[in-house]
């Protein structure tokens, strides 16, 4: 193969919002696959708020991306060469492919997907990591019961939009919090949430009190900060606060803003629990089957926000932090 691979590497650890100068664009010849390896032509890449954390030095649930390394990213692509058992040229696979045009991966580190069952980008959204996050975070950590009230922040995003829809499937009331009137309209009118609060134009604490007269049974937190505090102020007895993420804090150059209303946990005999989706990897296939079933029945909608061009990566990633995405943010690298 005489293919040149274009790659995006981490050049500097950002302070605050990542800048274009934090990345380098490099080219390198694509190697032949070794024994047990595949070469994948990357088609779509998943852009995730967690990438901001992976750019920082320090201990986390996964090691940071090293300076000079290709930026880590989940993706879906087509196999163009294989020396791995059970995988042939033409197969579509997902895995940690990285921000690049081609990825060399171990066959055991990628998973085959069927483009006839669902469009490829949905394997990065509802049927991918963010869908799994919504599924296990809500059902395993939140443990909803019918008629309970579930509140979710970043409700129009990849994880939040699925949390609210699964809450409805389980017979709960779903209230979304999002940062724009059109996002609020989308989650109610298109996704079937019961109500939504625009945190940029409304008093969240007051609006939640009105929408949740018996209190919040489950708060699925994607954002942290002031919105977490507003939700803590409105908990029902025995509420569960699911700590999924805290995007409002990821680019902060000062200490993370913790909740000041935490004694609401005591008063309401409530609990707050964090989780990492990767811990559920052995159950992804079963969850994806159930979610695909809900999609086929029209109960669960998948929406991807697709931006084309590897070279747009530095700016496209920032859409997550500026609230410019509706649904799962995906970078299209090449035509199928
Ligand atoms: N625990 C896990 O295993 C796990 C796995 C995957 C994702 N996550 C977390 O889940 C959360 C959602 O991820 P996602 O991939 O679904 O992203 P997303 O919701 O599709 O996109 C991020 C959204 O966050 C909102 N946002 C950005 N800055 C904000 C701020 N300062 N205050 C409030 N909202 C803000 C924006 O929506 P608005 O326009 O509404 O502000 C933006 O569209 C993130 O915190 C992520 O780290 C956790």
């Amino acid at each position: 193969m005489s293919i040149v691979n274009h790659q995006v590497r981490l050049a500097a650890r950002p302070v605050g919002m990542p800048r274009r100068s934090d990345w380098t664009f490099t080219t390198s010849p694509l190697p032949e696959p070794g024994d047990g390896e595949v070469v994948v032509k990357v088609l779509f890449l998943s852009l995730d708020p967690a990438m901001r954390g992976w750019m920082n030095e320090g201990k986390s649930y996964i090691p940071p991306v090293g300076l000079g390394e290709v930026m880590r990213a989940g993706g879906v692509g087509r196999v163009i060469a294989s020396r791995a058992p059970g995988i042939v040229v033409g197969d579509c696979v997902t895995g940690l492919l990285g921000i690049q045009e081609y990825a060399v991966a171990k066959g055991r580190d990628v998973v085959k997907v069927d483009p006839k069952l669902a469009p490829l980008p949905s394997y990065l959204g509802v049927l991918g990591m963010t869908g799994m996050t919504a599924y296990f975070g809500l059902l395993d950590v939140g443990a909803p019961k019918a008629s309970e009230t579930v509140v979710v922040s970043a409700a129009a995003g990849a994880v939040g939009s699925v949390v609210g829809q699964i809450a409805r499937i389980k017979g709960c009331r779903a209230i979304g919090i999002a940062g724009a009137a059109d996002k609020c309209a989308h989650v109610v009118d298109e996704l079937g949430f019961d109500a939504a609060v625009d945190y940029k134009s409304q008093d969240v604490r007051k609006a939640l009190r009105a929408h949740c007269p018996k209190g919040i049974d489950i708060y699925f937190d994607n954002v942290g900060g002031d919105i977490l505090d507003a939700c803590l102020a409105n908990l029902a007895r025995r509420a569960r606060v699911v700590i999924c993420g805290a995007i409002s804090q990821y680019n902060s150059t000062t200490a993370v803003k913790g909740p000041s209303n935490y004694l609401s946990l005591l008063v309401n005999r409530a609990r707050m629990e964090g989780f990492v989706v990767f811990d559920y990897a052995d159950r992804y296939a079963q969850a994806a089957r159930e979610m695909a079933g809900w999609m086929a029945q029209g109960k669960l909608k998948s929406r991807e926000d697709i931006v084309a061009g590897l070279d747009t990566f530095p700016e496209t990633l920032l859409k997550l932090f500026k609230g410019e995405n509706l649904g799962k943010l995906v970078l299209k690298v090449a035509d199928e």
Side-chain angles (χ1 to χ4, degrees), residues 166-212:
I166 298 178
R168 294 286 302 151
I169 290 168
K170 295 293 173 185
C172 298
R173 288 182 70 235
I175 315 293
I177 303 173
D182 60 338
K183 288 189 174 188
C184 289
H186 170 74
V187 303
V188 173
D189 300 341
E190 304 293 324
L191 305 182
F193 284 43
D194 296 275
V197 175
D198 177 355
Y199 73 88
K200 289 193 179 152
S201 69
Q202 288 179 268
D203 179 328
V204 178
R205 202 166 155 158
K206 265 198 208 152
L208 289 175
R209 200 175 310 136
H211 287 305
C212 314

Side-chain angles (χ1 to χ4, degrees), residues 106-122:
K106 295 208 165 55
R108 64 167 184 269
D109 290 342
V110 297
V111 177
K112 277 206 258 186
V113 297
D114 186 349
K116 289 194 223 78
L117 281 185
L120 286 178
S122 64

Side-chain angles (χ1 to χ4, degrees), residues 142-155:
K145 295 189 271 301
S147 82
E148 286 192 324
T149 296
V150 175
V151 173
V152 59
S153 48

Side-chain angles (χ1 to χ4, degrees), residues 47-50 61 129-130 133 153-161 177-180 183 199-200 220-224 227 243-250 274-278 319-329:
L47 300 194
D48 293 283
Y61 59 91
M129 192 272 286
T130 49
T133 303
S153 48
V159 173
S161 61
I177 303 173
K183 288 189 174 188
Y199 73 88
K200 289 193 179 152
F220 192 106
D221 187 24
N222 285 317
V223 304
I227 293 177
I243 302 296
C244 176
I247 194 167
S248 73
Q249 305 298 307
Y250 293 173
F275 76 102
V276 174
V277 67
F278 303 136
K319 284 166 84 77
L320 293 168
F321 305 110
K322 295 178 180 171
E324 290 173 357
N325 63 307
L326 186 62
K328 170 69 204 159
L329 185 62

